[in-house]
Amino acid sequence: MRKILVTSALPYANAPLHIGHIVEYTQTDIWARFQKMRGNACWYICADDAHGTPIMLHARQKGIAPEELISAMSAEHQADFRDFHISFDNYHSTHSEENRELAGLIYERNLAAGHITSRKIVQAYDPEEKMFLPDRFIKGECPKCGAADQYGDNCEVCGATYSPTELKNSYSVVSGAKPVEKETEHFFFKLADFEDMLRKWTRGGHLQPEVANKLDEWFEAGLREWDISRDAPYFGFEIPGHPGKYFYVWLDAPIGYMASFKNFCEKRGLDFDEYWSEESDTELYHFIGKDIIYFHALFWPAMLDGAGFRKPTTIHAHGFLTVDGQKMSKSRGSFIKARTYLDNLDPEYLRYYFAAKLGSGVDDIDLNLEDFVQRVNADLVGKVVNIASRCAGFISKRFDGRLSAKLAEPELFKAFADARDTIAEHYEKREFSRAVRKIMALADKANQYIDEKQPWVVAKKEGREQELQDICSTGINLFRVLMVYLRPILPGTAEKTEAFLRIAPLQWEDAAEPLLDHQIDKFKALMTRVDPKKIQAMVEASREDMQAKPQKSTRPASKQDAIADTIAFDDFAKVDLRVARIIKAEAVEGADKLLALTVDLGGETRNIFAGIKAAYKPAELEGRLTVVVANLAPRKMRFGVSEGMVLAAGPGGKDIFLLDPDEGAEPGMKIK
């Protein structure tokens, strides 16, 4: 049994959660639930990140104490997490005695070891509010392009970076006063002391390769001292022995992982040092967004190393969420708060959709709302739940809810059971999209079995009662195996399934053995289809500006415009090109140009219509590898639904040529 400690990045206690946040917590929760199903001692820990200038000022604007603000926000965050089925073992706050104690301890140990120094610096100061100003609390005109209302560190119009002192006509965001320069003493963490350790650690398999490559840029630029202090007024912890000086929020925020776990240990009687000492054999995993890699992959392991604590086993970074291919926007109604989503839609729809998109890399993922509706309805309702609903009625009405005493199709069941190691490996490696593809391929097999056996026809014929019971019992058992595999993603649906089947909470190895001669309950709907009207209601509820401003093109007219409008590279990068094997090809009745292709994408099958009938005979295509656009939204056509696009080129007619992947390619392989 493995001992595993898992964390997600701490949400900032200054604003509600939105669905972009939910990506990370869903990803972590799925992985932690999977580990628990495997029988491992896995604890999922989190907390609110509750310190900093923004929280202090927000509380002041509301006329309340910061403690009151963070308490209310914590309650809101936890309600959202609970309703999204995010199952923390402990949820705490960085504004806690455990965090104060540990932050002081880590600081004192690093100070004693010579890793902390102090010196005088000059900072912008608000003379009216009598406070030093972070760069983001100063605005003015960009010194490069003259754009107004730009922040003190970079211009959002021209992209220039600069110091706050270079801004023209600068003013404090807090009071409106012109900032002045003032000298103050600050404390710094000597990151360069840990360069040798960090170079080895970042290349020691603890980070994704692309993240390790990115960190090389910081090493090449030279590791600078990190400012770990802020001056009063500030909401946070005072630095021991230095009144009026506070720990910068990014020092005590990651220590919040330790503090929350220490709080948990005190509740559960666990040994904190067993998990956090340098000799610990516990696995420690941090799930974070790619925007905070610098703090987690350099400062955090260095602080821990300097204080004599263990370092993370793995830091797993994920990308950002876009909605319908664009950054979340309040005017378009795509900046969707977690609670707004929950007010309109089942949380398990989103958990499944995110899982179907998430891999082990740091790529951004897109929530395409049209695809969301089609995918959830097709996969969860049309495939998985449909298996149970097609079989359960016959078992209840004709056999008093009793499953057969033996398996009629042992080889089919074995094929489902034998998939558990492959699917487990995908979960373990955080390749959730691969796990989903494999599970849905099995769901297709289960539905194909039911279609072939036609229990509704058998039920009408005399003397075939046992055959009917066997068919439907097999269907129920295949459904149960699928729910074992989907339980980390769909815990709510799994609970309903367990009640329907009258079984204990599903564990991973339950997939190996069938339910035989077992009593089940009457079937009740486990999930309903996504209603597009509810999607629209969610968008409308999220929209702040009902009239989005049209985007004017700044691109000059040219002859190229007569060919096609250009697209940005980022748009092209969203196209997911995959190797596929054509396993079946046939003509489409009533269509002059189309062939109906069934393609294998490495465990997932898709049906695709391709206008290549004039160039290829169906028999020539079967078994051949080609390239498809795998993330194209399904398109309903007169002859059925096409679930992708086969890539081909040529002038047309007989001169159409399918794109061939390189030799050695395998179905499902991504084309880069």
Side-chain angles (χ1 to χ4, degrees), residues 582 584-589 591-599 606-618 621 626-629 632 635 637 639-649 653 656-659:
I582 301 172
K584 186 178 180 181
E586 55 188 355
V588 178
E589 186 176 347
D592 295 331
K593 299 179 179 180
L594 293 181
L595 291 181
L597 307 180
T598 301
V599 302
R606 300 267 191 94
N607 295 315
I608 298 176
F609 291 110
I612 57 174
K613 185 176 180 180
Y616 293 97
K617 295 179 180 179
L621 294 173
T626 188
V627 178
V628 304
V629 179
L632 188 68
R635 180 186 176 194
M637 304 175 69
F639 309 100
V641 177
S642 185
E643 300 173 303
M645 178 185 288
V646 173
L647 296 191
I656 297 175
F657 309 100
L658 289 180
L659 294 195

Side-chain angles (χ1 to χ4, degrees), residues 29 59-60 79 212 257 350 400 438 469 523 547 592 610-611 671:
D29 185 71
R60 183 188 299 178
Y257 301 137
L350 197 61
D400 197 27
K438 181 67 175 176
Q469 187 182 23
F523 179 79
Q547 185 64 46
D592 295 331
I671 304 295

Side-chain angles (χ1 to χ4, degrees), residues 85-104:
H85 303 315
I86 309 298
S87 183
F88 300 113
D89 291 291
N90 199 59
Y91 196 87
H92 205 36
S93 170
T94 59
H95 192 64
S96 66
E97 284 308 307
E98 295 92 347
N99 207 33
R100 185 192 302 275
E101 173 191 327
L102 286 165

